Amino acid sequence: MSDFQWYQFVAADRPLDREQLARSVGCPPVPVSPRRRSSLLADGWLILHVSAVTRDGEAVLTLGGKGAGKTTTALLLAGEGWGLLANDRVFVRAESDGGTVRVLPWPSAAAIGLGLLDALGLYDQVRSRLMSGDRLHPTQHTRVTDALLKGDRSPLWKPSGTEMKPQFFPDQLTTWLALPLVTEGVAARFLFPHITPNASPARLQDDRPLTDADFFTAASEDRYPDIFDLLPPEAATAPSPTRELLAALPRRVITLGHGVKANAAFLAEAAAG
């Protein structure tokens, strides 16, 4: 199975699949993918809230809250030749050798802000696709679609302060944005970015531990809730070889500015170890 086929297989959340499933069980449309997720969790995998890229099989995992720069980091590194493993979450599990953590993608819908699309030079091709009749992920707010069709590049915000972003199907990261996708890697290091306007990219003399909040649980999962009760009992907050190995990985806390070229050059060096 190719990398592209893996993303199609695991995501499996095209609108038709969602609607067919909803009709069959009499509930609101949801992705088919929780079945596959529950199977992996039952085998001891955990879901980590990160973006991830790989090179030579080594995965760099980027952690942080909303707006920290996870997606920015992943897309900039993908533009520098790294393989994009995941935009928002991955499955992780300690290997049987006891010394490495394997990383698999959980290809959820990828949210990429209008401003970031513009900065990366991707806005016009997305707008062109929409104007030709192609569709983005159905979770996208209609205001975002309207802005793209009008050519408005200004970020859109909810009253709560959350940015409304274009929502891409996982496979559209390749078919629309030409980003290289990969299907697995071995966890090598963590990056903890903070985006600061007018700042120069730099490494901070700071540390940031891995916490329970960095893992997705049934309680914290907001995009793919377990409405069918398919998931096994929660184990994400319990001590495990996976968590211990991840906690021992090298970590770098970094600042990024708004300069795309400067950020990309700095990240390429920071991610290389």
Side-chain angles (χ1 to χ4, degrees):
M1 178 179 290
S2 70
D3 291 352
F4 180 68
Q5 288 171 324
W6 163 266
Y7 269 75
Q8 289 182 312
F9 175 78
V10 177
D13 60 356
R14 288 293 185 178
L16 182 60
D17 295 327
R18 295 161 62 97
E19 292 164 6
Q20 287 177 334
L21 180 61
R23 286 196 297 270
S24 68
V25 298
C27 67
V30 295
V32 175
S33 45
R35 294 186 180 182
R36 293 162 191 148
R37 174 176 51 148
S38 63
S39 181
L40 287 169
L41 293 181
D43 286 337
W45 295 83
L46 303 177
I47 302 178
L48 193 58
H49 189 193
V50 303
S51 69
V53 295
T54 70
R55 174 173 284 175
D56 299 327
E58 290 192 343
V60 175
L61 310 175
T62 302
L63 277 162
K66 292 183 182 299
K70 295 191 298 298
T71 298
T72 297
T73 297
L75 297 187
L76 286 174
L77 286 172
E80 293 294 308
W82 292 68
L84 181 60
L85 184 66
N87 172 70
D88 189 59
R89 64 198 75 194
V90 297
F91 291 100
V92 291
R93 187 179 70 176
E95 291 281 66
S96 58
D97 61 15
T100 58
V101 175
R102 188 180 179 197
V103 186
L104 298 178
W106 173 244
S108 58
I112 305 175
L114 293 171
L116 180 56
L117 282 176
D118 192 26
L120 296 177
L122 300 172
Y123 183 97
D124 288 333
Q125 63 201 63
V126 173
R127 180 170 183 257
S128 177
R129 286 272 196 165
L130 283 178
M131 293 184 71
S132 68
D134 290 340
R135 293 187 300 166
L136 287 168
H137 198 278
T139 58
Q140 178 172 293
H141 198 284
T142 54
R143 284 182 59 196
V144 176
T145 303
D146 292 342
L148 283 166
L149 291 174
K150 293 175 182 177
D152 188 350
R153 300 161 193 260
S154 303
L156 297 172
W157 304 93
K158 296 179 181 178
S160 63
T162 302
E163 185 179 0
M164 293 184 290
K165 303 177 181 180
Q167 303 281 336
F168 294 85
F169 285 102
D171 55 284
Q172 288 174 334
L173 296 174
T174 288
T175 59
W176 286 36
L177 306 182
L179 297 173
L181 301 180
V182 294
T183 57
E184 66 177 299
V186 173
R189 63 192 63 87
F190 285 105
L191 295 178
F192 298 91
H194 300 273
I195 295 180
T196 306
N198 302 318
S200 297
R203 182 176 179 181
L204 303 180
Q205 297 301 314
D206 195 2
D207 193 17
R208 198 280 209 181
L210 198 65
T211 69
D212 290 344
D214 296 319
F215 292 86
F216 274 114
T217 67
S220 62
E221 177 60 83
D222 58 351
R223 187 179 291 275
Y224 300 105
D226 181 32
I227 65 171
F228 299 128
D229 292 327
L230 296 174
L231 300 184
E234 293 290 0
T237 59
S240 70
T242 300
R243 288 173 63 91
E244 292 172 4
L245 289 171
L246 289 173
L249 290 177
R251 303 187 295 271
R252 289 184 174 180
V253 180
I254 59 176
T255 292
L256 300 175
H258 284 170
V260 171
K261 290 184 178 180
N263 284 342
F266 172 78
L267 285 169
E269 181 180 348

